[in-house]
Amino acid sequence: MKKKKNKNNSIAGIFVKSLLKSILGIIVLLTVGFVSYKVSYMILSNNSSGIGNSSDNIKDIIEDAQTDKVSKNLIYVCDDKKITHILLEICNTNTNNMDYVTIPANTDYTIPSEMYQKLYTVNEEVPQIIHLSSLKKYFTQDADAYGYGEIIIEKMIGIKISYYTVLDQETYNNHFEQVKTNLKFRPLTFTSEDDINNAGTSEQTSDYVTVSQKISVASSTYISQLKDISGDEKKIAEYIKDQYDRVDSNLTVYNKIGYIESYEKMNVDYYHYWGIPGIYSGKNFIVDTKASKKYLTKLINNQTPYTEPQDLSKTSVSKETDGGNDNAISSVGKNIVVLNGSKITGLASSTKSKLISEGFSVNRIGDYKEAVLTRTKIIVKNDGMGQDLAKYFNDPEITVGSVEDGYDIEIILGTAEAN
């Protein structure tokens, strides 16, 4: 009987030990799960590689709109599938200046490794080399795409953005139109002439690069609308509220109306429009991050009010940082030869007719036999020539070089002109 009792005690002891081990195992699993959660949370809560304060985290940054004395409003223009245009609207309440800086939507940007590791925890599908127009593709919610896009663009251009606004394509078409301008800047990110030439932009001339860009400017319709409400606080407030019904923004309409005093004083005829320093690689754009930061910082810190309309024909990235565009030489009266490097029949003839109708002198057309070009080249004898011709072509490359005897400017047409 005693033997049987000891046996029962032994079984009970084994059961208790097993139960305790099971409970301990569950506690260990719960502890590991909790620690994993905290580690993941801390990763997501770390700030994104130099953007904002050390106490900021990614989520905080994308939700935190600011009302600054010099506001930097990142404007996205979207259709159903992608981002079609990007502008940085700089509203300076100190000077009552309004500047619009176009950032090409076809920009490729390599996200720095530390920032990319953090974004990767949000979505593993986000590539390190990101195409800005495709931001919506990588995030389930559009608001996330715009918020994380804001972080990425902040890092790319080197300044803190105040808030973002999203326009649909129809609104953009009513408010803006595109014009071509030549931007001349001193490259700072790109370290050698080979870097620039391999990216397909024009050759360096005296340490500067000239790049033709399409920039967004206010349309005549939009200018008329703004003039109708100019100086009337009530009308401006109503206009802002009406516009906010059509846009998405992480800034409230109440805070937007906080800029109303400056809007009252602004002269829409004095709005200024700019491009961003960078070079083209094929059809994609690469922002010069260091030159952009230097240029935008000076633009934001500008304390001189605009007192006259901007002459877009003389617009460059920044007269202080890139030498300006004051050395532009008119192509009117210059001897121009147009060569067809596209193999598209009749392209040289139609180009000649177009340029002559605009007042230029095309003395000869012919075929370019060395290769079939994609991108049009404008080769000029002297720096400053050819810049006023760029707007008639699709992203032409302007270089100073050897021109056929008897001519000042040689235009070699690429297949891009057929698009």
Side-chain angles (χ1 to χ4, degrees):
M1 191 76 177
K2 186 175 181 179
K3 189 174 182 179
K4 186 175 181 181
K5 186 175 180 180
N6 289 338
K7 186 176 180 180
N8 289 338
N9 288 339
S10 177
I11 292 171
I14 292 171
F15 173 76
V16 170
K17 288 180 180 179
S18 298
L19 180 61
L20 289 173
K21 286 181 180 179
S22 297
I23 293 171
L24 182 62
I26 292 170
I27 292 172
V28 169
L29 288 173
L30 290 172
T31 302
V32 169
F34 178 76
V35 170
S36 298
Y37 164 76
K38 292 299 289 183
V39 169
S40 299
Y41 179 81
M42 289 174 67
I43 290 173
L44 286 172
S45 296
N46 286 333
N47 69 310
S48 56
S49 182
I51 299 296
N53 224 291
S54 61
S55 62
D56 292 332
N57 61 59
I58 288 178
K59 283 291 185 183
D60 286 339
I61 292 172
I62 68 174
E63 294 171 358
D64 185 21
Q66 302 179 43
T67 51
D68 301 318
K69 287 187 176 180
V70 182
S71 76
K72 287 78 67 179
N73 174 20
L74 183 66
I75 301 176
Y76 296 104
V77 182
C78 302
D79 59 20
D80 292 336
K81 296 181 179 179
K82 64 181 182 179
I83 294 169
T84 58
H85 302 280
I86 302 174
L87 296 89
L88 185 67
E89 178 193 73
I90 302 174
C91 174
N92 190 328
T93 62
N94 298 317
T95 60
N96 300 314
N97 289 343
M98 181 73 86
D99 294 278
Y100 286 95
V101 181
T102 296
I103 302 171
N106 61 339
T107 294
D108 278 343
Y109 177 61
T110 302
I111 303 171
S113 296
E114 186 178 347
M115 176 186 281
Y116 177 67
Q117 289 170 7
K118 292 165 185 172
L119 288 172
Y120 185 81
T121 65
V122 178
N123 187 348
E124 296 179 2
E125 299 298 320
V126 177
Q128 188 165 7
I129 301 177
I130 197 161
H131 197 64
L132 295 187
S133 69
S134 301
L135 278 168
K136 292 172 67 176
K137 174 182 176 183
Y138 304 118
F139 299 94
T140 304
Q141 301 295 324
D142 284 350
D144 287 341
Y146 305 138
Y148 289 117
E150 180 180 328
I151 297 171
I152 292 167
I153 292 171
E154 280 182 339
K155 186 65 177 176
M156 182 179 74
I157 62 179
I159 64 153
K160 181 69 178 172
I161 293 169
S162 306
Y163 60 97
Y164 70 76
T165 304
V166 185
L167 306 181
D168 59 35
Q169 191 65 49
E170 182 180 358
T171 301
Y172 171 84
N173 292 340
N174 288 334
H175 287 188
F176 295 95
E177 58 189 25
Q178 289 188 302
V179 300
K180 277 193 175 182
T181 187
N182 292 305
L183 306 177
K184 187 176 180 181
F185 70 98
R186 186 189 297 276
L188 297 175
T189 300
F190 313 112
T191 56
S192 70
E193 187 171 346
D194 286 340
D195 290 338
I196 295 170
N197 290 337
N198 290 339
T201 190
S202 57
E203 296 178 359
Q204 286 178 272
T205 304
S206 302
D207 296 327
Y208 292 101
V209 169
T210 300
V211 178
S212 176
Q213 288 185 19
K214 288 182 178 179
I215 64 172
S216 296
V217 304
S219 67
S220 56
T221 302
Y222 187 40
I223 290 172
S224 295
Q225 289 177 349
L226 294 178
K227 284 184 175 180
D228 286 342
I229 62 175
S230 178
D232 190 319
E233 181 178 331
K234 184 177 179 181
K235 285 185 178 180
I236 294 173
E238 290 174 351
Y239 182 79
I240 291 173
K241 291 176 182 176
D242 178 65
Q243 292 298 304
Y244 254 65
D245 289 337
R246 307 180 188 185
V247 305
D248 293 323
S249 179
N250 62 340
L251 186 74
T252 65
V253 63
Y254 173 81
N255 285 331
K256 184 73 172 179
I257 289 175
Y259 293 108
I260 197 167
E261 183 178 348
S262 211
Y263 294 149
E264 279 186 90
K265 298 175 181 177
M266 284 181 180
N267 186 331
V268 65
D269 289 327
Y270 297 166
Y271 283 11
H272 277 49
Y273 310 93
W274 314 93
I276 198 83
I279 56 180
Y280 283 94
S281 179
K283 291 187 177 181
N284 295 332
F285 191 76
I286 304 169
V287 169
D288 186 328
T289 55
K290 293 180 181 178
S292 295
K293 180 178 181 179
K294 184 176 181 181
Y295 151 59
L296 289 172
T297 299
K298 288 195 174 184
L299 193 60
I300 291 166
N301 292 335
N302 174 34
Q303 296 299 313
T304 305
Y306 297 141
T307 57
E308 59 183 25
Q310 181 186 25
D311 185 353
L312 284 171
S313 68
K314 293 183 178 180
T315 298
S316 62
V317 172
S318 167
K319 290 185 178 181
E320 293 185 16
T321 61
D322 61 30
N325 210 17
D326 292 333
N327 62 340
I329 300 171
S330 174
S331 298
V332 176
K334 303 298 181 185
N335 292 326
I336 302 172
V337 56
V338 176
L339 302 179
N340 192 346
S342 69
K343 304 299 182 184
I344 299 172
T345 303
L347 189 59
S349 178
S350 62
T351 300
K352 175 183 177 180
S353 298
K354 176 173 67 176
L355 293 179
I356 289 176
S357 69
E358 295 292 332
F360 301 104
S361 302
V362 179
N363 303 100
R364 187 175 79 81
I365 62 173
D367 291 323
Y368 182 72
K369 299 179 180 179
E370 292 185 22
V372 176
L373 301 185
T374 300
R375 188 179 179 199
T376 294
K377 288 186 177 181
I378 301 177
I379 305 171
V380 298
K381 290 175 66 174
N382 300 308
D383 185 28
M385 286 184 178
Q387 296 179 13
D388 53 351
L389 292 169
K391 64 182 179 180
Y392 300 104
F393 302 96
N394 186 9
D395 182 28
E397 174 185 346
I398 303 176
T399 62
V400 179
S402 178
V403 179
E404 187 176 322
D405 288 345
Y407 296 92
D408 304 297
I409 301 171
E410 185 174 307
I411 301 173
I412 307 174
L413 301 172
T415 56
E417 302 312 323
N419 297 330

